[in-house]
């Protein structure tokens, strides 16, 4: 359930980023969202009087900060200037596989061979569905998204492993605080001369990725990865593109096709199969 809530929150990240970069510079957006979330994380740590991380935890926290606080948001913001949200679904479908691979490398997990079969099948279903919807060729956007997925998988696995010692919300909060000085300075340096041309949708997008994508979502996500295993719970990300489409249908009144329903059912079966053989 914690992993599911995390995925549900993350489902709005790319659409919100897409809306925000229409009026805001990608670098400013990345820095601003991290700075805002960093201030919130600092407030939480102070309010609950959390002990400082040990020296041995600083390097893993730096990896989390560089991957999920800076790397993934910046690379996706840059990519979404070249590709649309539908195109990015192809790459989000690869995120569970990337998370599972780093779960083995960094988390010490050893899923059974059948797990990899279901994981690859689920990724193929998501990628096939997305490609079936049609997209335009954009090599720069593709490379940026691919790099973002690899970095994000590393950050998820590293953060989950560290959460076993520090706790889920503590890990993302400390990672945000660690990056706060740099991100706050970068926000000031890249701030637009005027915000007159920034519309309400861009501000809403910035607010969403700052509060939910950067902080609240990770509270549930890291807790779920610790409770159910990085590889197993990570497969829930296969549902993320479809959650995004369902949100679009509900909020934007877009049509939900039977192909989407069929693909979602197929992915759900893959998630169940992968979880069954994750350990």
């Amino acid at each position: 359930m914690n992993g599911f809530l995390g995925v549900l929150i993350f489902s709005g990240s790319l659409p919100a980023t897409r809306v925000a970069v229409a009026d805001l510079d990608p670098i400013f957006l990345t820095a601003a969202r991290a700075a805002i979330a960093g201030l919130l994380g600092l407030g939480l740590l102070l309010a609950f009087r959390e002990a400082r991380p040990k020296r041995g935890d600083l390097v893993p926290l730096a990896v989390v900060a560089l991957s999920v606080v800076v790397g993934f948001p910046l690379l996706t913001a840059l990519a979404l200037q070249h590709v649309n949200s539908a195109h990015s679904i192809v790459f989000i479908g690869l995120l569970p596989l990337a998370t599972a691979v780093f779960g083995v490398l960094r988390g010490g997990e050893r899923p059974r061979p059948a797990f990899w079969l279901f994981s690859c099948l689920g990724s193929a279903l998501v990628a096939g569905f997305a490609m079936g919807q049609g997209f335009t060729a954009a090599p720069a956007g593709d490379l940026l998204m691919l790099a973002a997925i690899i970095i994000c998988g590393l950050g998820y696995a590293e953060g989950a492993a560290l959460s076993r010692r520090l706790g889920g919300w503590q890990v993302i909060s400390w990672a945000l605080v660690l990056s706060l000085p740099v991100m706050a300075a970068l926000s000031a340096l890249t701030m637009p001369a005027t915000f007159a041309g920034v519309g309400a949708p861009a501000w809403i997008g910035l607010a969403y990725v700052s509060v939910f994508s950067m902080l609240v979502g990770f509270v549930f996500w890291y807790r779920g990865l610790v409770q159910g295993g990085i590889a197993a719970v990570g497969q829930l990300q296969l549902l993320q593109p479809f959650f995004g489409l369902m949100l679009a249908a509900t909020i934007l009144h877009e049509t939900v096709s039977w192909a989407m329903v069929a693909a979602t059912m197929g992915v759900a079966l893959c998630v169940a199969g992968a979880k069954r053989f994750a350990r």
Side-chain angles (χ1 to χ4, degrees):
M1 183 55 67
N2 280 309
F4 176 84
L5 290 173
V7 168
L8 191 61
I9 291 170
F10 291 151
S11 298
S13 297
L14 288 179
T17 301
R18 175 71 172 175
V19 171
V21 296
D23 293 338
L24 296 171
D25 178 78
I27 297 178
F28 171 74
L29 174 66
T30 301
R33 66 188 281 182
I36 294 169
L39 291 173
L40 294 174
L42 179 60
L44 285 173
L45 292 170
L46 292 175
F48 288 95
R49 299 180 179 180
E50 289 292 320
R52 292 181 181 180
K54 297 179 180 179
R55 183 175 297 179
D57 295 329
L58 294 180
V59 172
L61 280 172
V63 172
V64 174
L66 289 172
S67 54
V68 301
V69 176
V70 181
F72 182 77
L74 177 59
L75 291 171
T76 53
L78 292 171
L80 287 168
Q81 290 190 314
H82 301 279
V83 300
N84 55 32
S85 296
H87 188 103
S88 67
I89 289 177
V90 177
F91 300 92
I92 294 299
L94 300 175
L95 187 51
L97 191 56
T99 303
V101 169
F102 283 111
V104 170
L105 297 176
R106 302 298 299 167
E109 298 190 354
R110 293 294 182 269
R112 286 185 262 176
F115 165 84
W116 297 108
L117 174 63
F118 281 106
S119 181
C120 291
L121 181 58
S123 296
L125 277 173
V126 174
F129 173 79
M131 288 188 290
Q133 304 308 297
F135 54 82
T136 58
D142 290 350
L143 290 174
L144 288 167
M145 281 301 304
L146 182 60
I149 293 305
I150 294 173
I151 288 175
C152 191
L154 171 61
Y156 282 171
E158 194 73 39
L162 193 56
S163 294
R164 295 167 184 165
R165 299 195 300 274
L166 300 183
W169 72 266
Q170 292 92 335
V171 166
I172 189 58
S173 294
W174 282 118
L176 288 165
V177 169
L178 192 63
S179 62
L180 181 56
V182 175
M183 292 295 100
L186 188 58
S187 298
L189 290 173
T190 58
M191 184 182 299
T194 176
F195 291 104
V198 181
W203 288 118
I204 294 173
L206 173 59
Y208 186 90
V209 296
S210 300
V211 178
F212 293 97
S213 302
M214 294 298 294
L215 184 59
V216 177
F218 278 103
V219 172
F220 294 106
W221 183 239
Y222 279 149
R223 184 184 299 171
L225 290 177
V226 171
Q227 291 174 331
I230 300 170
V233 176
Q235 298 309 298
L236 289 172
Q237 295 169 105
L238 288 170
L239 298 172
Q240 184 171 328
F242 302 103
F243 288 154
L245 290 175
M246 285 188 284
L247 288 172
T250 303
I251 298 173
L252 303 178
H253 306 292
E254 295 179 355
T255 303
V256 177
S257 66
W258 283 106
M260 174 189 166
V261 175
T264 303
M265 292 177 63
V267 167
L269 290 174
C270 290
V271 170
K275 185 169 178 58
R276 170 66 176 82
F277 294 103
R279 295 181 178 180

